[in-house]
Amino acid sequence: QVQLVESGGGSVQAGGSLTLSCETSEDLVQKYCMGWFRQAPGKEREEIAIIDSYDRPTYGASMKDRVIIYKGVGNLYLHMNNLQPEDTATYYCGLGRLWSCPTFSIADIHTWGRGTPVNVSS
């Protein structure tokens, strides 16, 4: 059974930074398209960043210049800089297709973690 376990969320003041982690198997990290997504209360889930098995990232418009997605052994990370109150949301790790990320779409994600909450105060 595939498991994705997010951690690293919390409360931070505007302008601060956080690094989120998604723990899973090393095999999945190396072979699958994986990504980070977020969902604020009352809003739809949106794409933040994805990365394929060749370590090629794609960033969404909402946080493009403020985040970096990268891999570690058995982990997917998202480093976020200059966080703002509008970044307050639950952040989810997602698993997509084998090898590549043909689209930057939530529709291609078939497995989700439970999320880690991020609260940014002004």
Side-chain angles (χ1 to χ4, degrees):
Q1 182 178 359
V2 174
Q3 281 194 315
L4 306 173
V5 181
E6 302 97 333
S7 62
S11 296
V12 63
Q13 289 190 327
S17 301
L18 283 174
T19 299
L20 307 182
S21 301
C22 174
E23 185 177 359
T24 186
S25 75
E26 174 64 4
D27 190 60
L28 293 178
V29 171
Q30 293 303 322
K31 292 183 179 179
Y32 282 79
C33 173
M34 296 188 69
W36 286 97
F37 307 80
R38 70 181 181 183
Q39 188 165 15
K43 295 187 177 181
E44 293 187 352
R45 193 167 297 190
E46 65 172 342
E47 303 87 352
I48 300 172
I50 56 175
I51 187 166
D52 67 13
S53 63
Y54 305 101
D55 292 346
R56 296 176 300 194
T58 302
Y59 294 99
S62 61
M63 301 186 78
K64 183 175 183 179
D65 297 324
R66 300 185 289 125
V67 297
I68 299 173
I69 186 171
Y70 60 99
K71 301 176 185 178
V73 178
N75 278 277
L76 180 72
Y77 299 98
L78 184 73
H79 181 69
M80 305 184 290
N81 292 312
N82 192 23
L83 287 163
Q84 299 299 314
E86 53 266 34
D87 297 317
T88 294
T90 298
Y91 286 70
Y92 296 91
C93 176
L95 181 70
R97 299 188 186 188
L98 184 63
W99 302 123
S100 66
C101 303
T103 67
F104 191 10
S105 172
I106 289 172
D108 281 338
I109 302 301
H110 57 75
T111 301
W112 295 96
R114 292 190 174 187
T116 184
V118 172
N119 182 59
V120 185
S121 58
S122 58

